[in-house]
């Protein structure tokens, strides 16, 4: 898979109902695990997992919007020349 195909597939994932629901399920799961945890290490693990879900969401959004951001930045640079 080349970069273009990869970005197109990530773009298709961004905002999909399945992915939105999956992230909601994972958020609920890790928040509940954090609430029910008995030890600091269990709370820290739940927090790390929740952070990983958040980071994955952000990365998908970034990759999906990368071409639009790049095009916008190119327009800004050409307008300022």
């Amino acid at each position: 898979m080349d970069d273009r195909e990869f970005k197109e597939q990530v773009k298709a994932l961004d905002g999909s109902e399945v992915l939105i629901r999956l992230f909601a399920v994972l958020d609920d799961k890790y928040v509940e695990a954090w609430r029910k945890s008995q030890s600091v290490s269990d709370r820290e693990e739940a927090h790390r997992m929740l952070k990983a879900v958040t980071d994955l969401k952000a990365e998908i959004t970034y990759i999906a919007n990368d071409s639009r951001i790049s095009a916008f930045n190119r327009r800004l640079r050409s307008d300022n020349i």
Side-chain angles (χ1 to χ4, degrees), residues 17-36 43 45-58:
E17 292 296 320
V18 170
L19 202 59
I20 290 169
R21 186 169 177 184
L22 177 61
F23 284 139
V25 167
L26 291 172
D27 282 344
D28 292 345
K29 175 183 176 180
Y30 295 129
V31 167
E32 190 62 26
W34 182 85
R35 285 184 181 141
K36 289 182 176 181
R43 280 191 297 277
E45 179 64 19
H47 180 264
R48 278 192 294 277
M49 295 305 292
L50 192 55
K51 174 102 173 74
V53 170
T54 302
D55 290 349
L56 180 57
K57 280 191 243 182

Side-chain angles (χ1 to χ4, degrees), residues 67-81:
S67 61
R68 286 178 274 189
I69 293 168
S70 296
F72 178 77
N73 288 339
R74 279 193 300 276
R75 281 194 308 274
L76 281 179
R77 280 194 297 270
S78 67
D79 289 347
N80 289 328
I81 293 178

Side-chain angles (χ1 to χ4, degrees), residues 3 9 40 56 66 72-73:
D3 285 348
Q9 289 187 17
V40 171
L56 180 57
D66 184 46
F72 178 77
N73 288 339

